[in-house]
Every structure is written in C-alpha cells, then in structure tokens.
Amino acid sequence: MFVYEKKLQYPVKIKNPNPKLAAAIISQYGGPHGELGASLRYLSQRYSMPYAELKGLLTDIGTEELGHLEMVGTIVHQLTRNLSEEDIKTAGFDTYFVDHTTGVYPTAASGFPWSAGSISGDMIADLTEDLAAEQKARLTYDNILRLSDDPDVNDAIKFLRAREIVHFQRFGEGLRLAKDRLNEKNVYFMNPS
C-alpha cells in the first residue's frame, strides 16, 4: 500500500514555456530509460524477489520513481502550457502536438511509446539490469542538461539526476547482498567449484 502526499518530491516551478525542451524531456517520462519504465520494472521485480531486504529496496526505489514520473510530467506540462500555434510550429513540437496536444504522454523523444518488453524475472539479471537502468537514466538527464539553458528546468533535472546515482549505489549494495546469499547456499552458478 502506498500513502500519497499531494506534493512533489522536489518543487518544479518553470517560468518560461519551451516546447522544444519539453519534446526532449518527455523521454524521461516514457522513454526507454525513463521513470515510468523504472517504476514499473522495480515494482514488478519485487514479487519474485526472495529476500525481504531486496524486496523492500525494490519497493522503495520503485515508489520513488513514481514520484519522479510525476515530477517529469509536471516539467513537461509547465514547459508546454499556453502555447500558440506559432510556438508549436516554430519549436518543432507539431508532431507531438498532432497526436497528444499538450497532454503528457509516455513516449520517448523519438516518438516510440513505452513498452514493458524489457522486464525479465531472474534476480541477478534484474538487479544487474537495474544498475544499468539507473546509469542510462543518469545519462539521459546529463543529455537534457546539455540541451537546456533554463535554470528552473536544470534545478529539477539535477535533483532527479542525483537520485539516479543514489539508486545505482543502492542497487549495487543489493546485488552484492544477493550474490552473498546465493554463495552461502552454494548455488552452482554463483560458485561453480
């Protein structure tokens, strides 16, 4: 069960609309390394996790990623509010606008919608993938920071980027714990001797 507090994990107050920047940032909403994928991946992986500490880790981070999804959606919404037709055309936001107007839609910046096709189910593979996912999300935030000159956007993006690093560290601890536990049980693939 989740308890929902009606505020963002970190404040988002974008002063200047920028649909071109929104078209890039939408990838962190529903792109291949975005917050939707991370939250659903981690919250799904917890069901098959045999260790309570790691189940808790997946629940904690998956829940936080839902909060990040809300922050990214808020950023995109604030960057696309009150746009004129000229703003939409000039910024190259027209292809997104045709299908979604200014609604926040789970898609990559390239236009491909999010898919659950990457969720596996093996504990070691999942935790290793989770480490990679956090690094890919961090890289995507790095790329957004390279494209953005808006201090309001950059402030929120830097917060999200920092949390990806923390998640990477926690998943590293989780993977070490899982391997130690499997070694204790003398599981063949962890200890072939």
Side-chain angles (χ1 to χ4, degrees):
M1 180 173 95
F2 302 107
V3 176
Y4 179 69
E5 192 173 333
K6 293 185 179 187
K7 69 176 191 171
L8 296 176
Q9 185 180 10
Y10 189 85
V12 175
K13 296 183 186 337
I14 312 294
K15 293 179 201 76
N16 301 312
N18 184 337
K20 188 172 187 172
L21 188 55
I25 292 173
I26 196 69
S27 249
Q28 278 304 88
Y29 193 78
H33 315 301
E35 304 295 353
L36 176 64
S39 61
L40 294 179
R41 180 182 305 111
Y42 307 152
L43 292 172
S44 296
Q45 288 171 354
R46 67 192 173 137
Y47 291 105
S48 60
M49 182 55 65
Y51 306 119
E53 305 97 306
L54 297 179
K55 189 176 287 204
L57 175 70
L58 289 163
T59 302
D60 290 348
I61 295 176
T63 303
E64 184 176 348
E65 299 289 11
L66 288 172
H68 295 175
L69 181 70
E70 189 173 27
M71 286 180 64
V72 172
T74 300
I75 292 168
V76 170
H77 171 71
Q78 289 181 11
L79 286 170
T80 59
R81 68 184 181 283
N82 303 321
L83 297 178
S84 69
E85 287 181 31
E86 186 61 32
D87 294 334
I88 293 165
K89 290 176 187 174
T90 304
F93 194 68
D94 49 343
T95 54
Y96 182 94
F97 184 83
V98 165
D99 292 330
H100 313 293
T101 59
T102 58
V104 179
Y105 177 75
T107 188
S110 62
F112 291 101
W114 181 79
S115 166
S118 65
I119 298 174
S120 74
D122 175 78
M123 175 178 58
I124 299 300
D126 284 347
L127 290 169
T128 303
E129 179 183 273
D130 297 345
L131 283 163
E134 293 299 324
Q135 286 300 311
K136 291 174 185 176
R138 185 229 5 111
L139 175 61
T140 304
Y141 284 128
D142 284 344
N143 291 338
I144 290 168
L145 289 169
R146 287 181 182 99
L147 297 174
S148 173
D149 61 358
D150 185 321
D152 298 329
V153 170
N154 293 353
D155 182 51
I157 296 298
K158 286 176 183 175
F159 171 82
L160 291 165
R161 182 192 180 282
R163 295 306 300 160
E164 303 301 344
I165 293 167
V166 170
H167 296 168
F168 175 80
Q169 293 167 336
R170 293 199 58 209
F171 279 129
E173 295 163 4
L175 181 59
R176 284 188 293 281
L177 176 70
K179 287 180 176 180
D180 288 347
R181 294 267 173 88
L182 290 173
N183 255 345
E184 289 169 5
K185 293 181 180 180
N186 199 24
V187 174
Y188 177 76
F189 70 89
M190 293 304 296
N191 188 358
S193 59

